[in-house]
Amino acid sequence: MKLLQNLGLVLFIIGLLVFTGIPFSGSYQLDRKMVLDHTKEMHQDAMVEVLEPMYENTYASNFSFIKDFNDLFNAYNEGLKEEQAWDKVIWDDYAFPLTKAASNGPVEDAPLLFLALSIGLAVMGGLLYAIPLYRNKPAGIKHDGIYFSSMKARGWLGIITGTYLIVFYIILYWYPEYLTNLVIMVDPLSILLSGGPASQWFLYGLIYTLAILVMGVRMFRKYKGNNYQTIRTASVMFFQLAFAFLIPEILVLFNMPWHDFKNIWPLDYSFFYEYRIEGMVSSGALGMFMLIWGIILIVIGVPAFTYFYGKRWYCSWVCGCGGLAETVGDPYRQLSDKSLKAWQVERYLVHGVLVLAVVMTAVTITNYFMEFGLLEQATNQFHSLYGFAIGSAFAGVIGTGFYPFMGNRVWCRFGCPLAAYLGLVQRFKSRFRITTNGGQCISCGNCSTYCEMGIDVRWYAQRGQNIVRSSCVGCGVCSAVCPRGVLKLENGQEAGRINDMPIIIGNESIKVKS
Amino acid sequence: MSENNIVILGNGISGVTCARHIRKNDPNIPITIVSAETRHFFSRTALMYIYMGHMKYEHTKPYADDFWEKNDIKLLFGWVKAIDFSTQELNFEDGEVLGYKQLVLATGSKPNMFGWPGQDLNGVQGLYSYQDLLNMEKNTQDIQHAVLVGGGLIGVEMAEMLASRKIPVTFLVREKGFWDNILPKEEAALVGRHIREHHIDLKLDTELKEIIGDEKGQVKAVKTSNGEIINCQFVGLTAGVSPNIALFKNSDLNTNRGILVDDQFRTNLPNVYAIGDCAEFKKPPGKDRKNIEQVWYTGRMHGETLAHNLTREKKVGYTPGIWFNSAKFFDIEYQTYGHVPPSWENPIRTFYWEGESGKVALRFLFDQEDRILGMNAFGWRMRHEFFDRAIKEGWKADRVIGQLDKANFNPEFHKKFYKQLLDKYNGENSTSIPLPRRSFIQKLMGSRS
Ligand SMILES: Cc1cc2nc3c(=O)[nH]c(=O)nc-3n(C[C@H](O)[C@H](O)[C@H](O)COP(=O)(O)OP(=O)(O)OC[C@H]3O[C@@H](n4cnc5c(N)ncnc54)[C@H](O)[C@@H]3O)c2cc1C
Ligand code: SF4
């Protein structure tokens, strides 16, 4: 078994290395036709001319190709800006499509082979590693050695992993043209699903989904015997695969807008953007359904489900960010900051982002109905600011890249506006709570340590107080790790849910109010 | 010292709880907690998790480091080598002197050493303090085999700790069943099986005769009562603990096994109190309770009660409620409520159910009038509130068994055992208690009521 697992690790690392190496392969050659094919009509003449000097060159790497492209392209735009010819400046990003088109080489010739050698090997290695985990071991908590682990306790492996993720996200969001070979590699898959070639987002969605699936299998092994964990993990795996990955691609196949039916505004912050609304409105009955369904989720779905089950119904059962955090991020859950200070920062930040998202959306909608008056510029600026700072930097780079540094829920805890909304409902109007079991707590600290949201669960448990916190995503791990059976996630009557002055059972001498 | 001040010797759960509650009741009185173990209060019960890498030391501190200053509780780090009860002064090892108006002794326990030959060899130790943990870390580096002596809760914890580092363990237990001076036969067997499932070489009915050292004073083997020699580089002595009262041996303070106190934790000396593991009640604090209470929860309750008496006019006697305790044997959680002795006689009757896995079991004891006396739960979490009430109010057997769904504290979606248990109960007692039905809506809402 050990042998198989080690083989798995080796395969995973080979896959990862091939994946990392692929962007550096091949050569690049641009011609006039490519430029014509991949630029808007209004830009065609200009672009063909601007890029003229590149046509006779064969570039040995994407670095030199992109450098030349940027030099020429930027020089052209700068010139226009100097002349104040603002209407001629090209704002579109042509680096990605043109680099993709210009790419030649082994990956383009045999994309499936490279897909198998990179992502394929990594997935297979991951499964070979995960499936035999804890075989022949009794069900129970599997946390031995976590704080001796370089990967899980901010050692060098953790730092390397975090850095890799951060770099990957930065390239993905802001320099996707360097990833074109990887995108070419998944083109066949994209064509199969949606009928069209892949974008960097298809690549990302594929990796994301596979990561959740493989690490979900690891969760099944780790929490064997704990049905809450198993079912919850199966749920996030299903929602990611079906709702976030397959269905949206298939929609595109049928000429519908790409749509993730389980993504809810304000996490889905572009839901009310003009192009999204137009896309839905112009897509017939199904499009209308997307719009109405999305609004029902916001107005009725979130409050109703959260009233009955707490925000966990979304955050640790359905959500894609939550899905990644609960599977890929599980090894890092103990790294969340439990200090009071962190809690304060959390409340300001997460509610701040919520306010920002609401204001931005309000401006967007007003703008929509005012038919692009003065507000247009504000809206656009708002969108690019939010997209950059929150949508990309916070949710992606920090949200996932910081797993090995600050735990797996950095985004969900400090940044997600939907989590803030769900949290407000959970805190003030819900049947969900974590009940503490009388006087049984021994203050050991396992619950707080393994709380990914940084809740100091022990603080409540040791004074016999139910845990009713807006941030709790109901992952159930505190309950799982408690060695004394003190914690139970439950939905129950609202009466008695919040007990600020709890009485610990067991001492009849006095009524102890903690 | 002129003004009133309270000094608490010992920063364990009892001393710290006492200090916290004094501060709650009286914002002004100066409080000093003295200890030489760790600067800040940590959870002794979590020592094992540090060794196993589940947590680091700092995670075991129940309160943040700035909590003490915020609450104006002074922490003094130092070892008290003598107490002068006549001048009301603590004398520290480094020569410092600290006066007190009122003194709370909360010095805890120490591991039992029964004078075994070789018990002072290197690599032989008990597990009680943080220092013991550090020693264990050192003593178990690169060893091939460990032996544990004495089958109690700390013994199982040490076995689990060593197993987490893949160190083979032989576990010598004097009794015929594991912890069978506390557990009834079936439960003792259940725990024994599970310990073996974790590849621990559990040798029941076996005593330690001698610990054998090498020429450097390092342990190299143990000899058992059967004459067997077991090679090992580490020996854990876990044959219970006793009150840590060496400091008071030749003083005016009355002691027996522990510091003798009345029901208000008063010792024989004025302004001196004792709580927690180190205290011994002159009279047991309740029916079926022992004179010395050495668990976390009782330490906490002692502290709460004494704090009340030190700050309030109306003094109360310590009146613990229904007994409860819990532990974990590797992966199997154990909870107990009320009084369940290892054996009993007519007319007390029992109902015992064990799941097919052999890892989940419930035991109930009922008196001659069929009222519940106590229960043991293995691998099945139970609601404290439920049994506290059922036992206090003396619920009849059928009522308790018929409402177990309300007592259930297992996580949602946990495997259900209730039907099996009811079938057995109904079969044995010719009753027909039905499985409580929940409507679809109730199930959908996941509601317990
Ligand atoms: C490994 C282990 C696991 C346990 N698990 C459980 C469990 O799961 N559940 C449970 O209920 N109980 C458990 N217990 C028992 C429980 O921890 C004790 O009952 C409890 O800690 C006793 O608290 P205390 O406040 O009386 O004393 P202690 O916690 O022992 O505190 C006494 C303190 O006083 C200090 N002190 C003593 N003398 C001096 C001196 N002269 N100068 C300075 N300082 C001094 C000591 O260094 C110590 O820090 C466990 C015990 C151990 C060792
Ligand atoms: S894990 Fe359980 S026993 Fe430990 S501090 Fe948390 S609630 Fe208390």
Side-chain angles (χ1 to χ4, degrees):
Chain A
M1 274 311 122
K2 202 80 219 143
L3 206 75
L4 264 187
Q5 286 193 289
N6 286 338
L7 179 67
L9 275 183
V10 171
L11 290 183
F12 177 81
I13 292 169
I14 295 177
L16 189 66
L17 288 176
V18 173
F19 180 85
T20 314
I22 283 175
F24 300 99
S25 70
S27 62
Y28 297 79
Q29 199 161 25
L30 191 69
D31 64 33
R32 195 178 304 264
K33 184 166 179 310
M34 289 173 188
V35 181
L36 286 172
D37 284 351
H38 291 98
T39 47
K40 290 183 187 158
E41 220 180 304
M42 58 190 281
H43 297 143
Q44 277 175 346
D45 293 344
M47 287 302 282
V48 165
E49 202 184 311
V50 169
L51 298 176
E52 181 82 55
M54 294 181 77
Y55 298 153
E56 60 259 34
N57 288 351
T58 302
Y59 294 89
S61 80
N62 53 2
F63 288 96
S64 49
F65 179 86
I66 293 166
K67 182 175 179 303
D68 266 15
F69 174 87
N70 284 340
D71 286 348
L72 294 167
F73 184 73
N74 292 341
Y76 172 73
N77 268 346
E78 288 307 316
L80 290 172
K81 285 180 194 166
E82 247 158 58
E83 294 166 22
Q84 311 255 326
W86 295 107
D87 51 333
K88 288 198 187 145
V89 174
I90 300 178
W91 300 105
D92 295 69
D93 177 14
Y94 289 125
F96 178 78
L98 290 178
T99 313
K100 191 176 173 205
S103 175
N104 290 311
V107 180
E108 211 196 359
D109 298 339
L112 288 177
L113 174 70
F114 281 87
L115 184 64
L117 287 178
S118 59
I119 296 177
L121 276 190
V123 167
M124 206 166 85
L127 288 175
L128 271 184
Y129 180 79
I131 292 172
L133 271 176
Y134 313 116
R135 176 163 292 198
N136 301 326
K137 297 229 171 92
I141 293 308
K142 305 284 183 259
H143 284 168
D144 289 351
I146 284 193
Y147 274 97
F148 311 137
S149 154
S150 167
M151 186 59 142
K152 300 172 192 169
R154 300 194 188 105
W156 62 272
L157 270 179
I159 295 175
I160 291 179
T161 308
T163 314
Y164 184 95
L165 286 171
I166 290 171
V167 171
F168 175 75
Y169 272 94
I170 291 178
I171 299 176
L172 175 74
Y173 282 121
W174 296 297
Y175 306 100
E177 54 273 23
Y178 291 95
L179 298 179
T180 46
N181 279 340
L182 289 170
V183 178
I184 290 169
M185 173 178 92
V186 295
D187 265 345
L189 207 58
S190 174
I191 290 166
L192 186 76
L193 284 172
S194 69
S199 67
Q200 73 268 38
W201 303 119
F202 179 82
L203 170 72
Y204 178 52
L206 176 71
I207 304 173
Y208 197 101
T209 305
L210 290 172
I212 288 183
L213 295 180
V214 173
M215 289 299 275
V217 171
R218 172 187 166 276
M219 289 292 281
F220 292 150
R221 301 299 304 162
K222 181 175 170 189
Y223 289 102
K224 184 174 60 168
N226 186 329
N227 290 346
Y228 183 76
Q229 297 303 329
T230 308
I231 298 174
R232 178 174 80 76
T233 304
S235 171
V236 291
M237 289 162 79
F238 166 76
F239 277 104
Q240 176 61 32
L241 179 64
F243 280 68
F245 187 65
L246 293 179
I247 295 176
E249 296 299 332
I250 293 169
L251 282 174
V252 175
L253 183 66
F254 291 100
N255 285 323
M256 295 280 163
W258 194 100
H259 194 85
D260 177 352
F261 283 97
K262 65 156 182 46
N263 204 356
I264 306 178
W265 177 91
L267 173 60
D268 183 10
Y269 59 89
S270 61
F271 186 80
F272 293 102
Y273 283 12
E274 189 208 342
Y275 79 94
R276 293 276 306 269
I277 301 271
E278 307 259 273
M280 292 187 270
V281 172
S282 63
S283 298
L286 189 61
M288 267 333 266
F289 174 71
M290 289 172 186
L291 183 62
I292 293 168
W293 172 248
I295 293 172
I296 287 180
L297 278 180
I298 300 163
V299 191
I300 302 172
V302 166
F305 279 115
T306 310
Y307 171 70
F308 285 112
Y309 305 109
K311 79 199 250 188
R312 55 183 173 155
W313 77 269
Y314 194 73
C315 296
S316 61
W317 284 74
V318 172
C319 179
C321 306
L324 193 74
E326 294 294 345
T327 51
V328 178
D330 178 73
Y332 306 108
R333 53 172 53 255
Q334 66 283 355
L335 301 176
S336 60
D337 189 341
K338 315 299 186 308
S339 66
L340 266 176
K341 185 100 205 126
W343 185 14
Q344 279 161 358
V345 173
E346 163 195 317
R347 279 180 297 183
Y348 279 109
L349 264 180
V350 79
H351 296 119
V353 174
L354 175 61
V355 170
L356 192 67
V358 170
V359 171
M360 176 186 79
T361 304
V363 172
T364 308
I365 295 176
T366 322
N367 175 40
Y368 186 75
F369 287 113
M370 283 175 58
E371 310 228 318
F372 320 114
L374 269 180
L375 274 171
E376 180 167 4
Q377 210 160 356
T379 310
N380 288 343
Q381 296 219 323
F382 234 139
H383 288 184
S384 61
L385 176 81
Y386 192 94
F388 172 81
I390 310 293
S392 309
F394 206 156
V397 181
I398 298 178
T400 307
F402 278 41
Y403 276 8
F405 305 121
M406 290 173 64
N408 53 336
R409 286 278 193 177
V410 178
W411 159 248
C412 315
R413 181 183 177 191
F414 296 102
C416 176
L418 179 57
Y421 172 29
L422 288 154
L424 288 171
V425 182
Q426 165 159 293
R427 174 69 184 75
F428 295 107
K429 193 71 190 164
S430 172
R431 293 164 57 85
F432 171 72
R433 85 295 305 275
I434 304 177
T435 307
T436 53
N437 202 6
Q440 288 280 25
C441 175
I442 51 170
S443 299
C444 69
N446 275 297
C447 53
S448 297
T449 305
Y450 286 92
C451 176
E452 55 189 358
M453 294 305 281
I455 299 172
D456 191 356
V457 183
R458 165 175 55 192
W459 171 267
Y460 303 89
Q462 65 192 359
R463 61 204 295 266
Q465 184 178 358
N466 290 345
I467 294 121
V468 179
R469 277 277 291 269
S470 56
S471 63
C472 174
V473 293
C475 69
V477 168
C478 58
S479 162
V481 298
C482 174
R484 295 294 178 273
V486 179
L487 303 164
K488 178 168 166 65
L489 283 66
E490 41 181 13
N491 317 311
Q493 277 139 4
E494 284 176 82
R497 184 175 83 111
I498 298 177
N499 51 346
D500 282 334
M501 296 294 273
I503 293 170
I504 312 184
I505 305 174
N507 191 353
E508 310 268 300
S509 332
I510 41 168
K511 282 284 158 242
V512 181
K513 296 230 160 73
S514 271
Chain B
M1 229 180 236
S2 53
E3 56 175 334
N4 194 4
N5 76 328
I6 299 178
V7 171
I8 299 171
L9 179 55
N11 67 348
I13 178 69
S14 59
V16 158
T17 308
C18 187
R20 279 179 42 240
H21 285 266
I22 294 173
R23 180 54 77 234
K24 257 185 220 211
N25 295 342
D26 183 334
N28 300 317
I29 189 165
I31 308 172
T32 307
I33 307 181
V34 177
S35 171
E37 188 180 7
T38 52
R39 260 174 215 286
H40 298 102
F41 170 47
F42 78 104
S43 179
R44 193 172 299 297
T45 54
L47 277 176
M48 63 184 294
Y49 300 110
I50 304 176
Y51 184 89
M52 301 203 301
H54 295 203
M55 287 190 274
K56 292 208 213 180
Y57 163 68
E58 60 255 32
H59 299 117
T60 67
K61 290 191 265 189
Y63 301 96
D65 288 354
D66 59 1
F67 175 86
W68 310 102
E69 209 187 305
K70 275 192 204 157
N71 287 281
D72 197 18
I73 295 171
K74 212 172 143 207
L75 304 179
L76 209 87
F77 188 69
W79 181 254
V80 174
K81 70 166 201 280
I83 301 178
D84 191 333
F85 292 109
S86 56
T87 60
Q88 307 211 341
E89 281 170 345
L90 307 183
N91 297 301
F92 285 82
E93 211 170 31
D94 60 4
E96 288 288 314
V97 177
L98 177 70
Y100 64 84
K101 279 277 156 157
Q102 310 202 67
L103 177 65
V104 178
L105 301 172
T107 54
S109 299
K110 58 175 182 31
N112 285 332
M113 297 283 165
F114 290 118
W116 288 293
Q119 69 181 23
D120 297 322
L121 287 165
N122 290 331
V124 181
Q125 66 166 105
L127 177 65
Y128 189 82
S129 65
Y130 185 62
Q131 283 70 31
D132 290 337
L133 183 78
L134 298 180
N135 284 335
M136 184 166 167
E137 185 68 55
K138 267 207 313 266
N139 288 337
T140 55
Q141 293 296 320
D142 307 317
I143 64 169
Q144 279 81 52
H145 201 91
V147 170
L148 298 175
V149 181
L153 296 178
I154 300 181
V156 194
E157 290 191 359
M158 268 181 126
E160 190 176 347
M161 291 160 79
L162 293 161
S164 80
R165 303 265 182 112
K166 310 219 162 30
I167 298 170
V169 178
T170 303
F171 199 170
L172 308 183
V173 174
R174 190 181 57 186
E175 292 79 26
K176 292 198 167 53
F178 190 83
W179 211 34
D180 70 359
N181 50 342
I182 305 282
L183 294 180
K185 212 167 76 226
E186 288 84 356
E187 287 96 311
L190 180 152
V191 174
R193 279 196 309 270
H194 185 58
I195 292 176
R196 291 193 169 117
E197 188 185 1
H198 277 275
H199 311 293
I200 305 292
D201 177 21
L202 177 62
K203 289 189 193 299
L204 296 171
D205 207 2
T206 311
E207 281 186 66
L208 172 69
K209 265 265 128 35
E210 183 188 348
I211 307 172
I212 306 164
D214 63 12
E215 57 288 349
K216 282 185 254 147
Q218 189 72 33
V219 56
K220 66 169 192 193
V222 298
K223 189 165 162 189
T224 70
S225 49
N226 314 333
E228 190 187 352
I229 305 252
I230 303 165
N231 290 332
C232 62
Q233 299 77 38
F234 177 82
V235 175
L237 299 176
T238 60
V241 296
S242 43
N244 176 16
I245 54 168
L247 186 62
F248 318 113
K249 267 301 172 212
N250 298 309
S251 73
D252 295 337
L253 192 68
N254 278 354
T255 59
N256 177 38
R257 284 196 296 142
I259 303 167
L260 288 168
V261 296
D262 65 8
D263 69 340
Q264 295 184 17
F265 303 99
R266 291 179 296 206
T267 66
N268 64 310
L269 300 174
N271 301 325
V272 181
Y273 307 84
I275 50 174
D277 277 26
C278 68
E280 175 176 349
F281 295 102
K282 285 184 271 194
K283 272 209 308 277
K287 188 172 150 280
D288 301 322
R289 287 188 93 107
K290 305 216 165 64
N291 294 55
I292 304 185
E293 300 186 315
Q294 291 163 313
V295 292
W296 184 263
Y297 320 101
T298 50
R300 195 191 74 222
M301 295 191 280
H302 295 180
E304 291 160 0
T305 314
L306 178 61
H308 175 94
N309 285 349
L310 289 176
T311 49
R312 294 283 150 92
E313 279 307 312
K314 197 166 166 292
K315 314 289 178 207
V316 296
Y318 171 58
T319 341
I322 302 300
W323 172 259
F324 66 96
N325 197 10
S326 59
K328 194 171 181 186
F329 304 96
F330 284 86
D331 303 313
I332 300 184
E333 287 171 23
Y334 153 70
Q335 294 180 337
T336 185
Y337 299 101
H339 186 56
V340 184
S343 61
W344 49 87
E345 266 150 34
N346 269 332
I348 289 180
R349 101 186 151 87
T350 187
F351 170 65
Y352 179 76
W353 168 85
E354 189 173 297
E356 291 141 21
S357 65
K359 291 194 197 185
V360 31
L362 294 188
R363 147 107 49 213
F364 299 85
L365 287 192
F366 304 106
D367 69 8
Q368 66 268 41
E369 277 154 59
D370 222 23
R371 289 179 307 217
I372 179 169
L373 293 170
M375 68 96 57
N376 281 343
F378 286 81
W380 187 341
R381 294 175 173 179
M382 289 292 165
R383 216 175 274 274
H384 186 175
E385 204 182 348
F386 180 93
F387 283 105
D388 189 67
R389 178 153 168 236
I391 297 169
K392 216 183 293 171
E393 296 177 358
W395 290 14
K396 293 281 168 71
D398 289 2
R399 181 171 173 204
V400 174
I401 302 290
Q403 296 196 23
L404 275 187
D405 58 323
K406 294 212 170 67
N408 175 37
F409 205 70
N410 276 335
E412 295 152 303
F413 304 112
H414 196 280
K415 200 165 169 207
K416 308 262 184 301
F417 306 112
Y418 194 18
K419 183 166 183 319
Q420 286 178 33
L421 179 139
L422 268 183
D423 287 347
K424 179 156 195 259
Y425 183 86
N426 284 333
E428 280 177 17
N429 297 280
S430 323
T431 47
S432 49
I433 301 173
L435 193 68
R437 291 255 166 254
R438 290 160 80 219
S439 69
F440 177 71
I441 295 286
Q442 278 172 325
K443 277 188 196 157
L444 198 67
M445 282 170 56
S447 171
R448 71 170 131 121
S449 43

